[in-house]
Amino acid sequence: MKINNLNLNVLIEGEGEPVLLLHGFPDSNYLWRGVIPNLTDSGYKIIAPDQRGFGLSDAPEGKKNYQIELIAKDVIAILDQLNINKVKLVAHDWGAMIGWYLAGTYPDHFKSYTAISVGHPSAYASAGFEQKKKGWYVLFFQLGGIAEKVFMADNWSIFRKTVNNHPEMDHWIEDLNRPGRLTAGMNWYRANLSKLWKADFPRVKIPVLGIWSTEDVALAEDQMITSAQYVDASWRYERLEGVSHWVPVDDPDRLSRLLLNFFKSEGS
């Protein structure tokens, strides 16, 4: 799809009520491959874009092209082009950060929001020492050119250690090895650091399900739990034991059950 002068790859599957799935770093819509069949079999239509800089979508040069506001406008433009007024929003990692912004800024477009791993930006910014320690890479990624070289050195050894040699590793490396793609992914962090620190994000007035997993290498539990303070509608929290940061890959069936239960309970 041609969106905001970019070619964005958008996967659309199924029939029924629409559900929008947003991935984060270093993923693409491939992240959702185990979840999508469960949702389509349950009567939902899935819209899963490769967000700008990832997958088969364009990766414009320059960190200015990766500001949260622009990425969010991509999402709204996709829905407009598909003539979809309102969707259920489900998002992971950086996609979840975009999701919080979308849910707060464009509430009329969304029936409910499921945030996986990443809590409300205000909760993230005010989280304790564990989160500061786990989030070291956010500052490291600010070192343009240096961070890329370090991560790619010695067959991506530091990257492999950072993600505990997750089984998705080979797929990520294949994607990020393409010219400019690792920089594009890191530019999401570079373009938005000050906004994350200021945590000037709107409150959310639609139902929210927050999901966090105990083996998450990047996010601490408190930043998800305290997200309830920034939700003015119903809030539910689910804690997944023994699951890594990549919940949609590690346990797609359990995630799907949580989603379907949430959709049903909210009547959304």
Side-chain angles (χ1 to χ4, degrees), residues 5-33:
N5 296 316
L6 297 175
N7 291 307
L8 298 186
N9 178 51
V10 182
L11 175 67
I12 301 173
E13 289 192 11
E15 298 292 336
E17 273 200 274
V19 178
L20 176 67
L21 305 177
L22 300 180
H23 68 82
F25 176 89
D27 291 292
S28 64
N29 60 22
Y30 186 64
L31 173 80
W32 305 105
R33 63 192 181 276

Side-chain angles (χ1 to χ4, degrees), residues 20-25 27 31-32 51 54 68 71-72 75 89-104 113-122 124 188-189 196 201-202 204 208-212 216 219 223-224 227 245 248:
L20 176 67
L21 305 177
L22 300 180
H23 68 82
F25 176 89
D27 291 292
L31 173 80
W32 305 105
Q51 301 208 74
F54 295 105
I68 285 175
I71 299 168
V75 174
L89 175 60
V90 180
H92 175 255
D93 189 79
W94 248 112
M97 193 70 75
I98 302 300
W100 284 108
Y101 180 86
L102 285 166
Y113 176 42
T114 300
I116 307 170
S117 304
V118 177
H120 189 281
S122 296
Y124 179 91
W188 281 55
Y189 297 85
L196 296 182
F201 279 64
V204 174
V208 177
L209 167 63
I211 299 174
W212 178 83
D216 197 312
L219 285 310
Q223 55 85 42
M224 182 60 78
S227 296
H245 173 72

